[in-house]
Amino acid sequence: MNKTKKMMAGVVASVMAISVTGCGNQDLPPEPTDTDCDDWDWDEESGTYYCDDSRSSHFGYFWFAGRMFKNKSSLRNYSGYKSYSKSYKSGIGSGSKGGFGG
């Protein structure tokens, strides 16, 4: 799968996750797959997963829109994350700050 298709798949997954949140679904989006990380944890602040596998070369990386980001700073600087972050933090459809049941 080329980079554009991977990125679009990630964006679609993120949009879908936001959409189901508006329906009262408290579930998180699916954990990333096809990566060099066996332990993904949800980061409530960023609304993304991060790699918590200390044996992985991606330990501490954040996952968004089919991409890995070395730290929160690089994640926040990604243009695609900026609009997602505004929606996530406003809690679209959830009636509360935090979205995804936060």
Side-chain angles (χ1 to χ4, degrees), residues 17-64:
I18 291 170
S19 298
V20 295
T21 300
C23 298
N25 187 335
Q26 300 299 315
D27 295 332
L28 299 176
E31 289 185 11
T33 57
D34 231 10
T35 62
D36 180 33
C37 181
D38 292 328
D39 184 16
W40 290 99
D41 287 339
W42 182 253
D43 180 60
E44 191 70 35
E45 180 186 342
S46 68
T48 63
Y49 283 101
Y50 68 94
C51 179
D52 196 29
D53 179 358
S54 60
R55 296 168 302 190
S56 170
S57 60
H58 295 112
F59 178 68
Y61 279 55
F62 290 83
W63 177 266
F64 177 75

Side-chain angles (χ1 to χ4, degrees), residues 21 26 44-45 85-102:
T21 300
Q26 300 299 315
E44 191 70 35
E45 180 186 342
S85 176
K86 289 178 187 175
S87 299
Y88 173 75
K89 290 182 180 179
S90 71
I92 288 180
S94 69
S96 65
K97 183 176 178 180
F100 295 113

